[in-house]
């Protein structure tokens, strides 16, 4: 084994840890990003200034892909117990074993909360998993996706067929580009729902957590339309969440809610979602109006995680989180 | 730094990883268990055959205690972002930052499900956190605790005052000994509730997951009495959970339920609980009959995690877990 060095650049400069590509031969036959071999030989370890002082590690069977796109470092590896893993800028985006929780919840929390969603925009979500879930809703007529990084789409199609299957639906139209610019060009009131499947607010997704972005989303939604955005961990990022809730209360004049769910390979084991609606027909996110039929013949995979009970349960917050944001939450009953 | 070696004995022999105590000087002035320094210098990493292929790591500021009791390796360290951490046989038992979730849920799920609990037995739970939570219930008259390892009690009193505060309640009586033997000596029908705050079913807690133990618990409970036991992770141990549910359905003739909650420093970020009642007055665990007053003047700390909403939400399972055990769950409505 060549000399190894721990790379935790995120802790020094406020960015995520970088996966630099060294000349080491970790698995004996491939050049390996240093973040793989630098810590535990043969393990991937996830460090970030977003979760200082802790790191989750997965054992690597084989590195399947590594490259640097125009926007970020992209890596895919076969883990020993979580299936294939997609990593962007050193941060796990999804694993085959637990992606169901994230993809199903970020999609069905908004789409089961409004009757007959027809037009949906996905921002980010280049892996295709959200598309797969949107397609379960038989009322859907149009699924636009705007992903900034074509390499994420290509890698998903090559290595994650169970997520990229989402692209096969004829209602899907893929746009490669910046989500903010895409939204600005969208005619007012176009979508029933916008789903923002972003990475963390460090790196290419930073704009997706700021007020101008939420204003553009609100404008693109019909009255009583809904948005669901990835909104971090109550255990790690309560202050970021409070800021997002504040911005959303300013921008969205309907409901403003926060939900959360369990995803083992995300830091602290949970991820949250901001769910907001524009002024118009009332939306009570806590009580789904659509019951997803697990036996829908069109879906190629059964639901693994989502059901109506867990939909409602996702809005029940621990006391420490309620104290921080419940005064800012706006339910419609 | 002395030569380091990764110790993952759990993956080889089916036991948890062992923390052997070497002569290395990891922090420059103390002898350090190898599991601290062997993986990431200055970090604690948690490996086990119970969760192969993954490991969670916490950055260590200082090792505060390390010794081998009659039953297990006991270690306490100051982490950089999770407060002080208690580790038994290389596995994190609790951290100051997230112990609230586990202690509050394992205690209030059973005690809020029956009217006026008076006599409670805690098995394990030597850190005192469950005692602290039991004491919030003003109806309680007697709190027995049977912890096998006196060193866990002593270490908690020395390093975790916010948990060990539980021992200060005059209703608490501490018994150091084997929980199974203790239960056998208990007169039939003694307790309103038994809380089993155990470690994993490898090591000293193994018996606490087997049928004779559950039978002894049932005998010690009054008719319509309740038990809550630590019952692993739906993401990692669905087969263990199915076995526990099977055993509990044989032993408990009232309700048999499974709940879960988020605890970031437990493997996969979640932990589950088996909640059962004996034949007698019906118990509907999903709908608490006691509403815990967050402002109870007697409690020295406010509730941080538990509330009635999250109580009910804890029984909502993801679809994959429902498929595995819902046919065996027995609700009483």
């Amino acid at each position: 084994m060549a000399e190894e060095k721990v790379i935790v650049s995120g802790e020094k400069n406020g960015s995520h840890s970088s996966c630099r590509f060294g000349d080491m031969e970790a698995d004996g036959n491939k050049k390996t990003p240093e973040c793989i071999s630098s810590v535990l030989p043969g393990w991937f370890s996830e460090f970030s200034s977003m979760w200082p002082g802790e790191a989750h590690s997965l054992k690597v069977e084989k590195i399947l892909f590594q490259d640097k796109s125009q926007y970020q470092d992209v890596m895919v590896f076969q883990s020993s117990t979580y299936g294939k893993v997609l990593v962007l800028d050193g941060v796990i985006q999804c694993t085959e074993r637990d992606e169901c929780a994230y993809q199903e919840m970020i999609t069905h929390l908004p789409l089961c909360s409004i009757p007959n969603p027809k037009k949906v925009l996905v921002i980010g979500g280049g892996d295709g998993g959200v598309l797969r879930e949107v397609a379960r809703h038989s009322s859907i007529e149009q699924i636009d996706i705007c992903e900034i990084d074509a390499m994420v789409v290509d890698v998903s199609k090559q290595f994650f067929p169970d997520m990229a299957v989402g692209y096969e639906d004829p209602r899907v139209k893929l746009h490669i580009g910046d989500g903010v610019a895409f939204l600005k060009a969208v005619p007012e009131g176009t979508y029933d729902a916008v789903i923002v499947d972003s990475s963390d607010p460090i790196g290419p997704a930073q704009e997706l957590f700021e007020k101008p972005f939420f204003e553009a989303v609100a404008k693109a939604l019909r009255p009583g339309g809904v948005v669901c955005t990835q909104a971090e961990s109550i255990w790690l990022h309560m202050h970021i969440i409070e800021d997002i809730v504040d911005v959303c209360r300013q921008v969205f004049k309907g409901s403003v809610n926060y939900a959360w769910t369990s995803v083992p390979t995300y830091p602290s084991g949970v991820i949250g979602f901001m769910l907001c609606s524009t002024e118009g027909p009332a939306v009570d996110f806590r009580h789904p109006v659509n019951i997803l039929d697990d036996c829908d013949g069109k879906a190629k995979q059964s639901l693994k995680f989502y059901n109506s009970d867990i939909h409602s349960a996702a809005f029940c917050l621990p006391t420490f989180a309620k104290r921080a944001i419940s005064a800012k939450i706006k339910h419609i009953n």
Side-chain angles (χ1 to χ4, degrees), chain A:
Chain A
M1 186 70 61
E3 188 190 354
E4 294 167 355
K5 191 181 154 196
V6 177
I7 297 179
V8 197
S9 64
E11 299 202 339
K12 286 177 187 150
N13 61 18
S15 74
H16 274 310
S17 62
S18 62
C19 283
R20 293 189 312 199
F21 299 94
D23 293 326
M24 302 172 297
E25 305 225 303
D27 61 0
N29 55 28
K30 278 212 164 208
K31 287 193 180 183
T32 306
E34 290 182 18
C35 63
I36 284 286
S37 59
S38 60
V39 175
L40 274 172
W43 290 64
F44 167 82
S45 292
E46 188 187 56
F47 296 91
S48 170
S49 60
M50 291 278 292
W51 45 92
E54 64 181 311
H56 192 236
S57 301
L58 293 177
K59 194 171 183 184
V60 177
E61 293 295 320
K62 189 173 186 181
I63 295 167
L64 301 171
F65 180 89
Q66 58 184 72
D67 203 350
K68 196 172 173 59
S69 77
Q70 190 181 345
Y71 301 98
Q72 53 204 343
D73 293 320
V74 179
M75 178 170 65
V76 177
F77 68 87
Q78 180 72 45
S79 70
S80 67
T81 55
Y82 277 81
K84 289 196 279 290
V85 182
L86 174 63
V87 179
L88 301 179
D89 278 350
V91 176
I92 293 171
Q93 302 300 305
C94 45
T95 81
E96 289 182 312
R97 181 160 156 197
D98 65 359
E99 56 94 3
C100 60
Y102 178 76
Q103 318 275 15
E104 293 182 18
M105 293 297 275
I106 198 173
T107 305
H108 304 310
L109 288 175
L111 295 190
C112 288
S113 296
I114 53 173
N116 297 308
K118 290 189 172 64
K119 293 185 180 181
V120 174
L121 170 63
V122 179
I123 294 177
D127 55 53
V130 170
L131 302 176
R132 177 191 73 205
E133 296 305 318
V134 173
R136 288 189 200 275
H137 292 260
S138 53
S139 62
I140 296 285
E141 296 169 357
Q142 178 183 335
I143 310 172
D144 290 331
I145 174 169
C146 185
E147 162 64 50
I148 201 168
D149 194 340
M151 190 183 285
V152 173
V153 178
D154 295 341
V155 156
S156 180
K157 288 181 176 176
Q158 189 176 354
F159 297 105
F160 297 93
D162 289 346
M163 292 196 287
V165 66
Y167 287 104
E168 293 175 14
D169 192 287
R171 295 166 291 184
V172 170
K173 189 168 179 191
L174 170 62
H175 309 261
I176 296 294
D178 174 61
V180 179
F182 183 87
L183 273 174
K184 282 183 183 159
V186 164
E188 197 165 332
T190 297
Y191 294 105
D192 298 291
V194 174
I195 297 169
V196 186
D197 175 11
S198 71
S199 46
D200 294 316
I202 292 175
Q206 187 175 342
E207 276 189 287
L208 307 185
F209 290 81
E210 294 169 358
K211 191 172 178 185
F213 173 74
F214 285 110
E215 289 171 333
V217 168
K219 191 168 148 285
L221 286 171
R222 66 156 169 86
V226 294
V227 60
C228 181
T229 78
Q230 188 272 99
E232 304 299 333
S233 160
I234 55 170
W235 287 105
L236 299 172
H237 307 121
M238 210 59 230
H239 288 297
I240 296 176
I241 293 165
E242 287 179 67
D243 290 346
I244 300 173
V245 173
D246 281 339
V247 167
C248 287
R249 266 307 289 270
Q250 292 166 34
V251 171
F252 293 96
K253 300 306 179 189
S255 304
V256 174
N257 278 261
Y258 189 85
W260 63 312
T261 198
S262 154
V263 183
T265 55
Y266 286 169
S268 83
V270 304
I271 193 78
F273 308 102
M274 277 305 303
L275 286 138
C276 307
S277 66
T278 52
E279 196 165 15
V283 179
D284 180 0
F285 285 108
R286 295 168 301 168
H287 299 103
V289 295
N290 304 319
I291 307 302
L292 261 195
D293 184 356
D294 191 24
C295 304
D296 184 340
K298 285 183 186 170
K300 295 187 179 173
Q301 305 171 29
S302 294
L303 285 169
K304 292 176 184 168
F305 193 91
Y306 178 89
N307 54 61
S308 298
D309 287 343
I310 214 139
H311 178 127
S312 295
F315 293 89
C316 299
L317 300 179
T319 298
F320 73 84
K322 279 178 90 163
R323 285 198 189 106
I325 60 173
S326 69
K328 299 166 186 169
I329 295 299
K330 191 177 163 197
H331 299 308
I332 300 266
N333 285 304

